[in-house]
């Protein structure tokens, strides 16, 4: 059973547009929600993370929106660039030991 | 500072063979973990360790063994490889329990025939 459900599976966005990736979870004990970015042939790298005591976190062009009541969180990439083309994973944890990852979103930004 | 290193980069095994995937980190991190990545499945935790001598199972531990004799190294052993273990394996580490930034290695691509 997938603990974290991620959508869409793939996303194509024009350069300068907004990319939005959504994740949903069921376990209300989750207390840390990171997003990872992965380029082909590389390991994932932490992009941005949020805890459920805030509704939004912004770092540069990347923003996490968190809706605790709906048990959903999303990644927004503003002014998307071709260099943002990668696979993005959301994740969640409640013990700090076991992370549960979404199935990934392949983002393509068209010049 | 090499970060997290993994060897080999690519390996082909026959069903029933055994092998060890190596993982090392030079950041003095206490927490280390192994994931497998399969198409459409995301990353799934196999085993993790919160310090030398301490390991525990993750989401998909069957068919894999680990040990942690030093802070730096966290090898993953396949005792009898099966085609279902064909995957890309990633090792990760963080300063302490996983709520800190996890640093991933470059991965090992394993093909079991």
């Amino acid at each position: 059973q997938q603990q974290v459900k991620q959508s869409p599976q793939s996303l194509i966005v024009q350069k300068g547009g907004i990319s939005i990736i959504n994740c949903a979870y069921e376990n209300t004990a989750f207390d840390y929600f990171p997003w990872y970015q992965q380029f082909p042939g590389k390991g994932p790298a932490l992009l941005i993370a949020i805890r459920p005591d805030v509704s939004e976190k912004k770092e540069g062009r990347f923003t996490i929106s968190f809706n605790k009541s709906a048990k959903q969180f999303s990644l927004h990439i503003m002014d998307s660039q071709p260099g943002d083309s990668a696979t993005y994973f959301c994740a969640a944890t409640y013990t700090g030991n076991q992370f549960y990852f979404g199935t990934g979103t392949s983002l393509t930004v068209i010049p | 500072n090499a970060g997290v290193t993994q060897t080999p980069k690519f390996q082909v095994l026959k069903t029933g063979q055994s092998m060890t995937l190596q993982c090392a980190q030079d950041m003095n991190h206490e927490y280390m973990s192994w994931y497998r990545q399969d198409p459409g499945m995301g990353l799934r935790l196999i085993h993790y360790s919160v310090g030398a001598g301490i390991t525990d199972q993750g989401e998909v531990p069957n068919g894999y063994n680990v040990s942690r004799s030093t802070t730096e190294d966290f090898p993953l052993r396949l005792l009898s490889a099966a085609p279902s273990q064909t995957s890309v394996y990633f090792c990760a580490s963080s300063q302490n329990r996983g709520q800190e930034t996890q640093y991933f290695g470059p991965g090992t691509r394993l093909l079991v025939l």
Side-chain angles (χ1 to χ4, degrees), chain A residues 4 6 10 14 21 34 54 73 79-80 85 87 93 97 103-104:
Chain A
V4 180
Q6 183 172 346
S10 62
Q14 293 278 355
I21 304 170
V54 297
F73 59 110
D79 187 26
S80 298
S85 297
T87 300
T93 183
N97 289 340
T103 51

Side-chain angles (χ1 to χ4, degrees), chain B residues 22-34 48-55 66-75 77 91-94:
Chain B
Q22 302 292 343
C23 174
Q25 51 89 11
D26 61 359
M27 298 174 282
N28 201 31
H29 284 172
E30 291 296 321
Y31 178 87
M32 296 185 73
S33 56
W34 275 101
Y48 66 93
S49 169
V50 298
I54 307 170
T55 64
V66 292
S67 60
R68 183 100 179 265
S69 57
T70 67
T71 299
E72 294 77 22
D73 300 297
F74 190 43
R77 280 182 285 276
C91 178
S93 74
S94 63

Side-chain angles (χ1 to χ4, degrees), chain A residues 1-3 9 31-32 36 38 41-46 51 89 93-104, chain B residues 31 35 37 40-45 48 50 57-59 90 96-107:
Chain A
Q1 182 182 356
Q2 197 73 27
Q3 295 264 358
Q9 186 176 349
D31 61 1
Y32 183 71
Y36 284 83
Q38 184 180 30
K42 304 291 186 185
L46 180 67
R51 299 184 191 276
F89 293 95
T93 183
Y94 61 89
T95 65
N97 289 340
Q98 298 217 27
F99 278 78
Y100 297 93
F101 281 77
T103 51
Chain B
Y31 178 87
Y35 292 86
Q37 183 174 25
M41 302 289 289
L43 292 108
R44 292 180 292 169
L45 183 65
Y48 66 93
V50 298
Q57 296 181 351
E59 197 178 350
F90 289 101
N96 45 42
R97 289 177 184 263
Q99 291 195 353
E100 303 296 325
T101 301
Q102 283 200 87
Y103 297 88
F104 282 80

Side-chain angles (χ1 to χ4, degrees), chain B residues 2-17:
Chain B
V4 179
T5 58
Q6 291 183 239
T7 55
K9 285 188 171 61
F10 180 69
Q11 183 73 45
V12 179
L13 288 180
K14 294 181 179 178
T15 297
Q17 285 185 317

